[in-house]
């Protein structure tokens, strides 16, 4: 399984854009990149997933360069409620709908008023 | 139910006892996963079910850990002869298509 590396923690002021970069140098051809958000005492929650280039949804954007060895989660105009741990993970989406993934230690984002 | 549920929410047990953790996935979700999360750490994959079949048991840390699933419904994770290092939050997730995993709130296990 591809190993991921992320910053352990980040601080940001409210209203700013936050970019969290994840390295996954040994990503495999069939691996997808997925980001999850986890609040204390809760299970992780899916944010966004992509394979290459750029993906955008209502909460975030995901930028993936051509070599796919890294990815950047972009959170626009963060609020205090975005304080959480963000996990970058890579995994294979099998034909049976199974994605085996490796979760790293995540990035703890602290949003400051 | 609307989401994945797990029970109990908290479990305190003595070293050497067996424990059973339960997961009720979202109705219709064919895939189910168990993870372990130690304090301050990321999620550690334990086992995956497709229906009631477990094609990947590679994450189970020892033969004290086992899991089963009834059809495409409830799953139980059993830990025999618990050790203090088993103390963690055990998370269950289910998915319909394999893209988005929906997680339950977890069971916090404390082994004294």
């Amino acid at each position: 399984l591809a190993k991921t590396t992320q910053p352990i923690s980040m601080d940001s002021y409210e209203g700013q854009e936050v970019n969290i970069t994840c390295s996954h140098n040994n990503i495999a051809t069939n691996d997808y990149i997925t980001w999850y958000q986890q609040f204390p005492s809760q299970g992780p929650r899916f944010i966004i997933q992509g394979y290459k280039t750029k993906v955008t949804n209502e909460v975030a954007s995901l930028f993936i360069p051509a070599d796919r060895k890294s990815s950047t989660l972009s959170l626009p105009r963060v609020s205090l409620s975005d304080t959480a741990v963000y996990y970058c993970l890579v995994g294979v989406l099998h034909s049976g709908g199974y994605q085996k993934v490796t979760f790293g230690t995540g990035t703890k984002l602290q949003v400051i008023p | 139910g609307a989401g994945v549920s797990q029970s109990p929410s908290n479990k305190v047990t003595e070293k050497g006892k067996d424990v059973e953790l339960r997961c009720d996935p979202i109705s219709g979700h064919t895939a189910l996963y168990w993870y372990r999360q130690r304090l301050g750490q990321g999620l550690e994959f334990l086992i995956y079910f497709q229906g009631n079949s477990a094609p990947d048991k590679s994450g189970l840390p020892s033969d004290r850990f086992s899991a089963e699933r009834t059809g495409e419904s409830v799953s139980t994770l059993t830990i025999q002869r618990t050790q203090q290092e088993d103390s963690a939050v055990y998370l269950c997730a289910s998915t319909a298509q394999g893209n988005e995993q929906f997680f339950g709130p977890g069971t916090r296990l404390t082994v004294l």
Side-chain angles (χ1 to χ4, degrees), chain A:
Chain A
L1 294 176
K3 178 179 166 57
T4 60
T5 303
Q6 314 173 224
I8 294 173
S9 63
M10 295 179 69
D11 292 338
S12 176
Y13 287 103
E14 270 192 297
Q16 289 190 330
E17 177 184 79
V18 171
N19 295 308
I20 306 174
T21 296
C22 178
S23 297
H24 27 80
N25 290 321
N26 60 339
I27 188 169
T29 302
N30 294 332
D31 283 343
Y32 280 70
I33 299 157
T34 314
W35 286 80
Y36 282 79
Q37 174 191 57
Q38 186 177 29
F39 297 112
S41 301
Q42 294 185 24
R45 184 177 70 170
F46 175 92
I47 300 175
I48 197 166
Q49 182 182 72
Y51 184 79
K52 62 180 179 180
T53 63
K54 177 183 175 182
V55 179
T56 298
N57 62 22
E58 63 276 9
V59 298
S61 294
L62 178 60
F63 299 91
I64 305 169
D67 66 5
R68 304 199 328 123
K69 293 183 183 299
S70 67
S71 59
T72 299
L73 174 72
S74 181
L75 304 172
R77 298 179 298 282
V78 294
S79 64
L80 295 176
S81 63
D82 293 318
T83 294
V85 177
Y86 292 82
Y87 293 97
C88 156
L89 44 136
V90 298
V92 179
L93 192 64
H94 291 273
S95 59
Y98 161 51
Q99 184 178 34
K100 181 172 182 176
V101 294
T102 302
F103 283 76
T105 54
T107 297
K108 185 173 183 179
L109 173 65
Q110 180 70 52
V111 180
I112 306 164

Side-chain angles (χ1 to χ4, degrees), chain B residues 60-77:
Chain B
L60 293 177
S62 76
D63 58 8
R64 296 187 295 105
F65 288 72
S66 63
E68 61 180 25
R69 187 179 183 196
T70 306
E72 294 185 352
S73 184
V74 65
S75 175
T76 56
L77 176 68

